[in-house]
Amino acid sequence: MTRITVVGAAGRMGRRLVALGHADPALVVVGAVDAADHPEQGKDAGELAGVGPIGVPLSAELSAELSAGPSVVIDFSLPEGTRKTIAWCAAHGVGLVIGTTGLTDADDRAITAAAGAIPILRASNFSLVVNVLHELVARAAPLLGPGYDIEIMEAHHRFKKDAPSGTALALAQTACAATGRSFKDDVLTTRSGDDVPREPHQITVQSIRIGDHAGEHTVYFAALGERLELKHVSTSRDSYVLGALRAAAWLGGKPAGRYDMKDVLGLG
């Protein structure tokens, strides 16, 4: 059984991680952390998640006592909080699953450095279907060849701060790697103007923000006369939560190193 602590436990994703983690017989929730000024501090994390008391109060920080308990910390918080979590986990030998968005290249280097001491897994999207989508894009792109345009469209709820989504950019990276394109030179995040015809090598990633949309990503492969659409539609954040919990259960007990969802799914 993998023992987990959730960082960002009072947020929307965090509450579902607590609720579904508590319901999973392969997991036990032993800690819940969120910002010190959060108004729910001290309340039972299970009650906040809607599953009744589980004996785990919401606390302001990871404590040294937890290092003997949780096998894995799951962090779905903000970049500044995740930076502290990375340092704490590395110092205390605790595995870490990271779902925080908005991390920088410097943060990614810190994750790689921490992977020398602990097992650590970061993913732009924990949905199992999205990760299979990456595999399908990587296979379809070279099969169809350079005569097919590749474009990506993503949609999310009105509250999402970053655009394009990390998942959309990761899909563009997958397409570039599969076709020999340069992500830096060939991927655009906007197309606007009076004279902007599509160049054959370009991949444009565009964003829509609407209502409470949980998430949608479509990768288009199109030539004259036909197109292939590979799409993932999320109807609930639970798809991401269940993937993150599966990753945590898988990561528990693994040796130090940097992992991703391909490892969890056996696609690496």
Side-chain angles (χ1 to χ4, degrees), residues 146 148-150 175-177 179-183 186 198 200-203:
Y148 282 75
D149 303 328
I150 304 175
C176 286
T179 58
R181 287 175 167 89
S182 165
F183 181 83
D186 296 331
R198 187 186 189 281
H201 58 88
Q202 291 177 339
I203 299 174

Side-chain angles (χ1 to χ4, degrees), residues 161-173:
K161 293 182 178 180
D162 57 318
S165 69
T167 298
L169 294 174
L171 286 166
Q173 289 175 324

Side-chain angles (χ1 to χ4, degrees), residues 82 86 96 98 103-116 118 120-122 257-258:
T82 300
I86 294 168
L96 175 59
I98 299 174
L103 296 176
T104 65
D105 290 342
D107 294 326
D108 198 65
R109 291 191 292 271
I111 290 168
T112 298
I118 58 171
I120 187 165
L121 186 154
R122 178 192 178 192
R258 183 158 185 177

Side-chain angles (χ1 to χ4, degrees), residues 33-250:
V33 176
D34 215 301
D37 60 354
H38 197 284
E40 308 288 4
Q41 276 294 341
K43 294 185 179 180
D44 190 284
E47 292 187 328
L48 294 178
V51 296
I54 61 173
V56 177
L58 187 67
S59 60
E61 59 184 19
L62 291 160
S63 65
E65 289 75 17
L66 291 177
S67 62
S71 302
V72 176
V73 171
I74 306 176
D75 191 314
F76 273 77
S77 60
L78 297 173
E80 55 269 29
T82 300
R83 290 169 193 136
K84 295 178 182 178
T85 302
I86 294 168
W88 186 93
C89 287
H92 293 85
V94 176
L96 175 59
V97 170
I98 299 174
T100 302
T101 61
L103 296 176
T104 65
D105 290 342
D107 294 326
D108 198 65
R109 291 191 292 271
I111 290 168
T112 298
I118 58 171
I120 187 165
L121 186 154
R122 178 192 178 192
S124 61
N125 193 309
F126 283 92
S127 159
L128 302 184
V129 174
V130 165
N131 283 279
V132 172
L133 175 59
H134 277 278
E135 186 74 8
L136 296 176
V137 169
R139 294 184 184 184
L143 286 172
L144 293 172
Y148 282 75
D149 303 328
I150 304 175
E151 299 278 359
I152 299 170
M153 178 71 74
E154 60 97 353
H156 283 87
H157 54 84
R158 65 174 66 165
F159 305 106
K160 186 170 178 59
K161 293 182 178 180
D162 57 318
S165 69
T167 298
L169 294 174
L171 286 166
Q173 289 175 324
T174 295
C176 286
T179 58
R181 287 175 167 89
S182 165
F183 181 83
K184 178 178 180 293
D185 297 329
D186 296 331
V187 175
L188 307 177
T189 56
T190 185
R191 180 180 285 117
S192 177
D194 296 327
D195 187 18
V196 286
R198 187 186 189 281
E199 299 295 335
H201 58 88
Q202 291 177 339
I203 299 174
T204 307
V205 184
Q206 300 194 55
S207 302
I208 296 173
R209 295 292 175 262
I210 47 175
D212 60 354
H213 200 317
E216 178 176 329
H217 295 86
T218 306
V219 182
Y220 298 90
F221 296 87
L224 300 179
E226 67 176 355
R227 72 177 180 270
L228 169 66
E229 298 180 13
L230 298 177
K231 176 183 290 189
H232 167 260
V233 179
S234 177
T235 57
S236 166
R237 291 185 182 85
D238 285 0
S239 61
Y240 312 125
V241 171
L242 291 169
L245 292 172
R246 179 164 167 175
W250 180 90

